[in-house]
Amino acid sequence: MNVMAKAEKKISSAFIYFFGSFGGILFGYDIGVMTGALPFLQADWHLENAASLVGWITSAVMFGAIFGGALAGQLSDKFGRRKMILMSAIVFMVFSVLSGVSPDMGEASAYYLIIVRMLLGLAVGAASALVPAYMSEMAPAKARGRLSGLNQTMIVSGMLLSYVVDFLLKDLPGEWAWRLMLGLAAVPALILFLGVLRLPESPRFLLRKGDEAQARKVLSYIRKNPAEIDQELASIKETAKEERQANQKTSWSTLFSGKYRYLVIAGVGVAAFQQFQGANAIFYYIPLIVQKATGQAASSNLMWPIVQGVILVVGSLVYMWIADKFNRRTLLMVGGAVMGLSFILPAVINWMMPNMNPMTIVVFLCIYVAFYSFTWAPLTWVLVGEIFPLAIRGRASGLASSFNWIGSWLVGLIFPIMTASMPQEAVFAIFGIICILGVIFVKTCVPETRGHTLEEIEEQGTNYGRVKASNPEN
């Protein structure tokens, strides 16, 4: 035990924050890698006219992630955030390799890959739920938006990495290209596993389990002021004391009790809207989108994903700069409004000028990605990590992650089917309307969390719930 304690003292806050958020690399790599692999996979397995199979292969990871997020969130309340992140890395490594060595058995190959990618999705969904919860519990309130935003920077860096790998491998024989693209996802998973081995457990989880001494030690790694440590421990302990006094037993029904309902609806709603707004339609299918707009082969359009990836990384850095300078709600509403217009305007322009340049839609998609990158993309995970009270954080984060992945799965599944039956402009206009509905949701249902401790946010949600109960018309 003493040897472990001495080793833990050498852990720097930078190391903790870096590897605490590194799970986003896995999330991002798998979001992006199929973008480049898909054109080669389609050609290799002759799936050019199989829109449903293409949709399932692409979206299988998101389908698995629906369950991975919920399961990991629940298990993390019992075993801890750190252990579940380690398990996610192992699962990710195994099924990334199995994806790359998919047997060539005709149509059966597609079903094999769908099943393997569903199981891979368990790890992706777990990472999407665990990383924001871990980062929010490690970060101080005044810097939580910026540090939690590291998760988004990691996600988009993983996406850009996958786009670059896809581009570098595009000249290999088609069969080898897509197999290496998918299999190399095991490398960041191994790096994550080795890094997380040295990470401490979340202080809030430790205190919840009664280990105050270890919780204080962990906080000493990431808080410089002893008075701040004492104050934070006291605040967490007070919340835990209230829970014990109420003899609360958390269950799924607890999430929708009067005390927590408002915050759960807000967090889950934002997570769902982020995906139903259609961002992943761009990230998964941008080569095919450009192909349909210009007639050029999708496999020759792999520079466009890199362009999108660069925009996403720059946007995530912009977010880290402005994260704690603007209210969360303000950024979400401004971003959602511009994103909605970026989807709707091409349809309007095409209706007014039927001969418009086909690349116009791609330009508007870049505007969408730019605003998405520093508003809805990072803020969704910041809110999911900070809006839920300690008693329900694991389950609620898992539920929000699952709804997020339901949206991602449906978008990934139906987008190729929709574009096969209607103009691309009309499909994106539908997503644009959803973006505007998301703005309305934020305006009416989401509380402001910037600068508040996690315990203050819980009290704010409890008080709001009481007001709504006594004044249902407000």
Side-chain angles (χ1 to χ4, degrees):
M1 181 67 180
N2 291 334
V3 174
M4 183 177 292
K6 289 179 181 179
E8 287 184 349
K9 288 182 180 179
K10 299 179 181 179
I11 303 174
S12 68
S13 59
F15 184 93
I16 290 173
Y17 293 138
F18 179 81
F19 279 102
S21 60
F22 194 84
I25 290 281
L26 276 64
F27 183 3
Y29 189 96
D30 211 85
I31 287 176
V33 69
M34 188 53 75
T35 303
L38 190 58
F40 298 100
L41 178 61
Q42 283 182 298
D44 188 28
W45 286 357
H46 309 292
L47 300 175
E48 290 87 347
N49 298 316
S52 295
L53 271 181
V54 168
W56 269 108
I57 290 173
T58 303
S59 65
V61 165
M62 291 82 85
F63 185 80
I66 296 169
F67 305 98
L71 183 62
Q74 185 172 353
L75 292 177
S76 72
D77 281 346
K78 183 176 182 179
F79 298 109
R81 318 316 188 208
R82 174 182 172 275
K83 287 182 180 178
M84 293 309 302
I85 293 174
L86 284 171
M87 287 299 301
S88 300
I90 293 172
V91 173
F92 199 98
M93 278 189 281
V94 170
F95 289 104
S96 293
V97 173
L98 290 178
S99 296
V101 297
S102 298
D104 195 347
M105 305 179 297
E107 187 172 321
S109 301
Y111 295 108
Y112 167 90
L113 187 55
I114 289 169
I115 292 171
V116 168
R117 283 177 56 77
M118 282 182 183
L119 294 171
L120 175 61
L122 294 175
V124 176
S128 72
L130 295 169
V131 171
Y134 182 85
M135 288 298 291
S136 69
E137 293 180 359
M138 300 297 281
K142 63 183 179 181
R144 194 170 57 240
R146 179 167 48 86
L147 289 174
S148 295
L150 274 175
N151 179 45
Q152 178 61 23
T153 300
M154 290 294 186
I155 291 173
V156 296
S157 296
M159 293 173 67
L160 179 58
L161 174 63
S162 72
Y163 296 150
V164 172
V165 168
D166 289 350
F167 185 80
L168 293 176
L169 298 178
K170 68 182 177 64
D171 293 326
L172 291 176
E175 179 180 358
W176 284 102
W178 70 263
R179 290 182 184 278
L180 279 174
M181 291 172 186
L182 299 184
L184 285 175
V187 175
L190 176 62
I191 295 172
L192 173 66
F193 180 84
L194 296 175
V196 174
L197 281 176
R198 294 195 61 219
L199 289 187
E201 184 51 86
S202 154
R204 283 177 170 80
F205 175 81
L206 291 169
L207 201 58
R208 186 181 184 188
K209 294 301 181 182
D211 194 348
E212 181 175 346
Q214 187 65 16
R216 181 181 292 275
K217 182 183 293 185
V218 173
L219 281 174
S220 71
Y221 304 152
I222 52 181
R223 307 285 190 270
K224 296 181 180 179
N225 188 342
E228 184 181 1
I229 294 174
D230 292 337
Q231 182 180 2
E232 188 162 349
L233 282 172
S235 180
I236 299 171
K237 287 167 65 176
E238 180 62 29
T239 300
K241 180 180 177 181
E242 292 176 0
E243 292 167 5
R244 287 194 300 269
Q245 289 175 342
N247 193 26
Q248 183 180 44
K249 294 183 179 180
T250 304
S251 65
W252 287 109
S253 62
T254 305
L255 302 185
F256 298 99
S257 66
K259 182 178 181 180
Y260 299 122
R261 184 187 304 118
Y262 165 60
L263 294 177
V264 171
I265 290 174
V268 172
V270 168
F273 266 111
Q274 187 208 42
Q275 289 303 323
F276 282 109
Q277 289 169 338
N280 278 352
I282 302 172
F283 305 143
Y284 294 135
Y285 297 111
I286 186 64
L288 300 179
I289 292 171
V290 176
Q291 174 181 284
K292 189 163 186 177
T294 64
Q296 299 175 353
S299 58
S300 66
N301 287 316
L302 296 188
M303 182 59 71
W304 277 104
I306 296 178
V307 172
Q308 304 287 348
V310 170
I311 293 173
L312 285 168
V313 171
V314 172
S316 73
L317 297 176
V318 169
Y319 169 75
M320 292 180 68
W321 177 52
I322 68 174
D324 296 302
K325 298 178 182 180
F326 296 93
N327 286 343
R328 317 278 198 242
R329 282 160 43 89
T330 300
L331 289 174
L332 286 173
M333 289 189 288
V334 171
V338 176
M339 288 155 52
L341 289 175
S342 298
F343 274 160
I344 293 171
L345 285 177
V348 174
I349 294 173
N350 187 59
W351 175 66
M352 297 177 65
M353 297 186 300
N355 295 321
M356 77 172 188
N357 189 317
M359 288 300 291
T360 300
I361 190 171
V362 179
V363 172
F364 275 102
L365 292 185
C366 290
I367 296 173
Y368 172 98
V369 170
F371 277 82
Y372 175 81
S373 68
F374 67 87
T375 58
W376 279 85
L379 279 169
T380 294
W381 301 112
V382 172
L383 278 167
V384 165
E386 69 187 4
I387 200 172
F388 300 127
L390 177 61
I392 63 168
R393 185 165 299 134
R395 288 181 185 270
S397 295
L399 183 65
S401 174
S402 292
F403 269 83
N404 185 268
W405 284 109
I406 288 171
S408 181
W409 166 60
L410 286 174
V411 169
L413 177 63
I414 68 174
F415 181 78
I417 299 173
M418 293 174 70
T419 54
S421 59
M422 66 178 75
Q424 285 191 143
E425 293 83 358
V427 175
F428 286 119
I430 293 172
F431 289 134
I433 293 171
I434 297 174
C435 289
I436 301 304
L437 292 176
V439 172
I440 297 171
F441 178 81
V442 171
K443 176 69 175 177
T444 57
C445 299
V446 178
E448 184 54 57
T449 59
R450 181 173 70 100
H452 297 287
T453 66
L454 301 180
E455 287 66 39
E456 288 171 347
I457 295 168
E458 177 176 353
E459 182 63 23
Q460 178 183 357
T462 301
N463 291 338
Y464 185 89
R466 290 171 184 156
V467 171
K468 293 295 285 185
S470 60
N471 299 283
E473 294 182 1
N474 291 341

